[in-house]
Amino acid sequence: MPIQELWIDQKARAAGYAGAAAFAEAHALKPYRLRQLYRAATKELAEGLDSITVLPIELRAALASEDFRLESLEPVTVQRSNDGQTTKGLFRLHDGNEVEAVCMEHFGDRTTVCISSQAGCAFKCGFCSTGQAGFTRNLAAVEIFDQARFFAREVKKKNKRITNIVFMGMGEPFHNYAAVLDAVRLLNDPHGFGLGHRHITISTVGLVPEIDRFSDEGLQVNLAISLHAPTDRQRSALMPVNRRYPIAELLAACARYVQKTRRKIFFEYVLLAGVNDDDETARTLARLMRGHLYHVNLIPYNATPDAAFGGTAEPRIRAFQKILDEAGVPTTVRVPMGRDIAAACGQLRAETQPRAKAS
Ligand code: SAH
């Protein structure tokens, strides 16, 4: 199915219609009209039906009277950090569920949007705010895509464009595999949003079958693995998923991925004071990582209202990084953004979901 039809199909479904074919038929909508609609929404980033002047006014009126919506989600609140670089959007889906996404305008030309793939998350990582509240539902491809589209329209007002998309918001992308891959197609489509695969990163908790499946997609999309600990004892304590896919199995899948795709893997490692940040743990991690096409991204922990963890202090982060450096493992330390609006990594949790205590 051509991507345009896919989009319309998803859109029609999100709006409660039976599907694109039935919808197009009911409105005697020609395929080229569907394509115009698609192009206006995804490439030209139209704000609403009214602004799509390429469509005859009667058609726009007919669509409007059918309650055809261009958006699958609507912004409820949009908050901006004090430094103005980070914007968090809380979006309501058609069924009332809410998800968050974050736009980061880095210095220079880079603008990254962090998007959600699910309302809630089923994996219950002990340090993650989304995980604490549990799973509500998968997002449709268009609901994932529309988070990016929303921020693309926002930054367009400043003559900027989205340069990177990361699936690091709420949810586990590989637990909603098909919709996430469809969303990637929507983001990538040169006739639409037009973002290169290499500018997209999917982050997973480490689902082995899906890593294998992803290896076979032949996509240039970046893969990030949330590792967070180098031994099964430590990792299982932080991430229950490790009991299902222990480290040896996970790393075997990673090795297969690199062998098949020749692409580097990014490992995320959130540093928790006194839990996974000592020298010995760093050395164990270095042994797992070195000699492969692996890059370790050290993430300063962002305190969440309900978690029992503290973040590692800066000197310890540097000492940990030095051990990896000396073992020849490439690392970066992530710069936290948007902490003042609870928009930093792992802090996303829609307001409809209960908080353990007020933040
Ligand atoms: N389910 C995906 C995406 C999760 S969010 C995954 O597990 O990879 C992206 C990253 O933020 C993950 O590595 C996650 O473990 C990390 N993270 C979660 N809570 C955090 C917090 N409070 N501070 C810093 N990073 C956090």
Side-chain angles (χ1 to χ4, degrees):
M1 190 193 295
I3 193 70
Q4 290 90 343
E5 281 175 44
L6 167 78
W7 183 81
I8 290 295
D9 194 36
Q10 293 282 355
K11 181 64 73 183
R13 247 183 281 158
Y17 294 103
F23 180 77
E25 202 178 315
H27 294 279
L29 215 55
K30 303 241 165 41
Y32 81 97
R33 290 293 187 205
L34 282 177
R35 277 197 298 278
Q36 285 175 331
L37 203 50
Y38 170 81
R39 187 188 152 92
T42 62
K43 194 181 176 87
E44 287 144 21
L45 302 170
E47 291 279 348
L49 268 178
D50 282 350
S51 63
I52 310 180
T53 48
V54 66
L55 298 180
I57 200 155
E58 310 79 56
L59 179 55
R60 277 181 270 153
L63 289 171
S65 70
E66 277 293 323
D67 199 24
F68 179 89
R69 285 172 294 130
L70 219 48
E71 283 89 23
S72 61
L73 36 78
E74 56 173 305
V76 182
T77 53
V78 178
Q79 284 173 275
R80 188 171 276 269
S81 65
N82 290 331
D83 63 13
Q85 278 186 287
T86 307
T87 312
K88 178 170 79 168
L90 171 71
F91 301 97
R92 185 169 300 135
L93 310 172
H94 65 87
D95 61 358
N97 279 303
E98 293 178 351
V99 294
E100 293 182 320
V102 179
C103 180
M104 289 158 283
E105 297 168 53
H106 307 272
F107 292 117
D109 285 340
R110 203 157 57 93
T111 298
T112 303
V113 177
C114 174
I115 57 180
S116 295
S117 56
Q118 300 181 313
C121 184
F123 289 87
K124 302 197 181 309
C125 297
F127 48 84
C128 177
S129 188
T130 307
Q132 301 313 304
F135 177 71
T136 307
R137 76 158 165 92
N138 278 328
L139 300 194
V142 71
E143 292 169 333
I144 300 171
F145 174 70
D146 275 354
Q147 298 165 51
R149 202 167 71 87
F150 173 82
F151 284 113
R153 289 199 316 247
E154 289 297 300
V155 299
K156 194 183 175 187
K157 295 171 190 157
K158 299 186 246 177
N159 283 322
K160 288 191 181 180
R161 48 183 286 276
I162 306 300
T163 59
N164 297 80
I165 296 282
V166 295
F167 283 83
M168 296 185 186
M170 298 164 68
E172 165 52 38
F174 280 173
H175 189 217
N176 185 16
Y177 190 93
V180 164
L181 267 280
D182 281 347
V184 166
R185 286 179 197 109
L186 286 168
L187 291 166
N188 179 245
D189 183 9
H191 302 293
F193 200 80
L195 185 70
H197 278 153
R198 290 159 194 267
H199 298 270
I200 301 173
T201 300
I202 296 180
S203 176
T204 176
V205 77
L207 304 185
V208 166
E210 282 73 21
I211 294 171
D212 281 328
R213 191 172 163 193
F214 190 64
S215 308
D216 291 327
E217 300 283 353
L219 299 175
Q220 308 270 32
V221 171
N222 301 304
L223 178 63
I225 308 279
S226 292
L227 189 61
H228 306 324
T231 66
D232 283 327
R233 187 183 51 77
Q234 286 168 302
R235 192 165 188 268
S236 294
L238 294 172
M239 305 175 70
V241 70
N242 192 67
R243 291 196 276 271
R244 201 151 106 219
Y245 303 113
I247 291 175
E249 278 182 44
L250 173 59
L251 291 181
C254 291
R256 291 193 292 274
Y257 171 90
V258 173
Q259 199 191 8
K260 234 178 229 163
T261 64
R262 303 279 158 211
R263 294 186 62 75
K264 183 197 300 175
I265 296 185
F266 298 86
F267 286 87
E268 292 160 280
Y269 195 100
V270 58
L271 285 157
L272 305 167
V275 174
N276 64 355
D277 64 348
D278 57 289
D279 286 356
E280 194 196 322
T281 304
R283 285 191 288 271
T284 311
L285 178 63
R287 278 195 295 277
L288 292 183
M289 295 285 106
R290 78 175 155 225
H292 299 276
L293 210 48
Y294 295 163
H295 183 105
V296 176
N297 201 353
L298 299 170
I299 311 176
Y301 181 60
N302 297 305
T304 62
D306 39 358
F309 297 98
T312 299
E314 175 74 20
R316 181 95 289 271
I317 296 181
R318 293 296 159 196
F320 194 93
Q321 183 181 30
K322 189 156 175 270
I323 291 172
L324 292 165
D325 269 353
E326 285 171 359
V329 177
T331 58
T332 41
V333 178
R334 183 175 292 168
V335 180
M337 292 179 77
R339 276 180 167 165
D340 58 328
I341 53 169
C345 312
Q347 292 185 314
L348 300 188
R349 180 195 284 194
E351 296 297 326
T352 43
Q353 296 175 311
R355 278 178 195 271
K357 54 180 160 115
S359 56

